[in-house]
Amino acid sequence: MITGIDHIVLTVRDIEATAAFYKRVLGVEAITFGAGRRALVVGHQKINLHTLGMETRNHAAIGSGDICLLTDLSPEQVVERLNDEGVKINEGPVKRSGANGPITSVYFVDPDGHLIEVSSYD
């Protein structure tokens, strides 16, 4: 029945500050869709951004997200990029198990406290 993930949603304090962080640190494009909503384009999927209270159907909390993003960069290049941008690395590079096999991951938190894992397949 389920064939993939179309989008996920992160609850943030400031949508434009979050979009700027992801663009600066990870090179992710921010788009506007619908009635002025904002999202980050990640491959063929997107990460929708909203502030607390924008979506009343869920039990959102700022900083409760935990996502894994894939990269073509080596783990060493990810570390270098994060260091260049002044982003504190919480863990990594470390070996993990991804959806399609072994991955190497680097972990950090975004400005809202969401745990971000940037991984590459071995």
Side-chain angles (χ1 to χ4, degrees), residues 62-97:
I62 294 171
S64 65
D66 180 344
I67 61 176
C68 178
L69 303 172
L70 296 175
T71 184
D72 289 333
L73 298 179
S74 71
E76 295 75 23
Q77 289 172 305
V78 172
V79 167
E80 183 178 345
R81 174 78 179 248
L82 294 174
N83 286 335
D84 288 349
E85 293 298 335
V87 175
K88 179 183 177 280
I89 295 171
N90 290 55
E91 185 179 7
V94 293
K95 298 288 185 182
R96 294 291 188 248
S97 181

Side-chain angles (χ1 to χ4, degrees), residues 35-57:
R37 301 261 328 262
R38 299 285 278 157
L40 307 170
V41 177
V42 180
H44 296 289
Q45 295 78 35
K46 62 183 180 151
I47 301 171
N48 292 350
L49 303 174
H50 68 210
T51 56
L52 202 56
M54 276 180 69
E55 175 57 71
T56 58
R57 295 173 290 185

Side-chain angles (χ1 to χ4, degrees), residues 12-35:
V12 302
R13 288 179 187 85
D14 181 320
I15 290 172
E16 292 310 315
T18 297
F21 174 83
Y22 280 84
K23 180 177 182 178
R24 177 178 60 84
V25 173
L26 299 177
V28 174
E29 177 189 4
I31 62 167
T32 301
F33 71 99

